[in-house]
Amino acid sequence: EVHLVASGGGLVQPGGSLRLSCVVSGFIFRNFDMQWVRQVPGKGLEWVSGIGQSGDTYYAGSVKGRFTISRENAKNSLYLQMDSLRAGDTALYYCARGGRFSWIDYWGQGILVTVSS
Amino acid sequence: SYVLTQSPSVSVAPGETARIPCGGDNIGSKSVHWYQQKPGQAPVLLIYQDTNRPSVVPERFTGANSGNTATLTITGVEAGDEADYYCQVRDSSDDHQVFGGGTKLTVL
C-alpha cells in the first residue's frame, strides 16, 4: 500500500525558513516523479514544485528562487526547502506522486505551514 | 500562463446527473485530470487523461474533453459525492501544472 507522510511544518516568522520532508513507502521511489501542491485552508489547490526521477526540477513562479525541491532516493524521501517565507505561503502542503507529463495518483496527508509574526 | 475556469458551485438532487465543466483555451488539445476532495481530506484521483478511471473509482464518474471545455459527469449522484472537484492540466508553455479553482458539489 502506498503511503506518503509529510513532516516539518509549523509556525515561522516572515522571512524565515522551513524544510518539509515527505517519506514514502509502498512503491519504488526512485522510479517516480514527485510534486508538492499547496492549499490555503478553504481555498483551491495550487501547484508548487516538481522533481523528476533524474532530479530535474521545476517551480511555480510564485516560489521560484525561494523554494528548493530535492529528493534522497536512498531514504525514500522528498524535501521542500522554503526560504524567505511570506504570509502568502501559509497553506497546507501536500506531497504527491505524479509526473511532469502525467497525473497525481497518490497524495500525502498534508502538512500545515503558517507564516506569521 | 494557462488558466482553467471552473464554476464555484453545482447543486443536484440525489439520483440526478451532475455535470462539472472545466474551461480553458483549446483544452481539448491537452490531457485533463480530475480530483475529488472531501472536507478535511487530501484530494483523490478521479479521472486521468480525459476519460480514464482508476479501478477503485465507480463507473458513475466519467470524463470528456473537447474544444474549450472538459467535463466531469457524475450520474446517479449520491450524498457521499458531496465534495470539491478540481481539474488539472500541464501547461507546456512554462512546464507548470495548473489546477482549476474547484467546484463545490452540493447534493440537495
Side-chain angles (χ1 to χ4, degrees):
Chain A
E1 189 177 357
V2 172
H3 288 285
L4 299 90
V5 180
S7 61
L11 175 64
V12 61
Q13 292 189 341
S17 297
L18 212 55
R19 188 196 198 205
L20 303 184
S21 300
C22 176
V23 178
V24 311
S25 60
F27 64 98
I28 301 174
F29 179 64
R30 65 177 181 271
N31 290 349
F32 288 86
D33 297 357
M34 299 293 293
Q35 315 272 347
W36 287 98
V37 177
R38 69 185 180 184
Q39 184 174 35
V40 174
K43 302 297 184 183
L45 301 172
E46 180 189 14
W47 175 75
V48 173
S49 180
I51 186 167
Q53 298 172 53
S54 57
D56 50 310
T57 59
Y58 38 111
Y59 300 91
S62 58
V63 306
K64 194 169 187 177
R66 300 188 299 121
F67 289 12
T68 303
I69 190 173
S70 62
R71 63 191 300 160
E72 193 168 357
N73 291 339
K75 293 187 176 181
N76 286 342
S77 293
L78 176 72
Y79 305 104
L80 187 67
Q81 176 67 40
M82 303 184 293
D83 298 320
S84 303
L85 282 162
R86 308 165 179 167
D89 296 317
T90 295
L92 195 61
Y93 284 73
Y94 293 100
C95 64
R97 190 179 86 169
R100 188 179 212 159
F101 302 101
S102 67
W103 52 95
I104 293 173
D105 58 358
Y106 288 98
W107 300 69
Q109 87 284 9
I111 191 80
L112 185 61
V113 172
T114 303
V115 184
S116 175
S117 53
Chain B
S1 60
Y2 195 77
V3 176
L4 292 175
T5 302
Q6 295 186 248
S7 304
S9 63
V10 167
S11 300
V12 296
E16 297 297 306
T17 296
R19 293 178 179 83
I20 299 174
C22 173
D25 184 32
N26 196 26
I27 194 174
S29 66
K30 299 182 179 298
S31 189
V32 180
H33 319 302
W34 290 91
Y35 305 90
Q36 177 193 64
Q37 186 180 34
K38 296 183 178 180
Q41 298 183 19
V44 172
L45 177 66
L46 212 53
I47 298 287
Y48 63 97
Q49 290 182 316
D50 298 339
T51 61
N52 297 289
R53 196 175 44 246
S55 58
V56 296
V57 175
E59 293 182 3
R60 303 185 295 106
F61 294 87
T62 58
N65 185 19
S66 178
N68 292 317
T69 305
T71 304
L72 173 70
T73 300
I74 310 171
T75 56
V77 167
E78 302 173 356
D81 298 332
E82 200 162 87
D84 294 324
Y85 293 86
Y86 295 91
C87 54
Q88 180 231 326
V89 300
R90 173 179 173 265
D91 181 0
S92 56
S93 69
D94 57 12
D95 210 8
H96 288 182
Q97 306 295 333
V98 180
F99 287 95
T103 295
K104 180 177 182 58
L105 173 67
T106 299
V107 182
L108 301 171

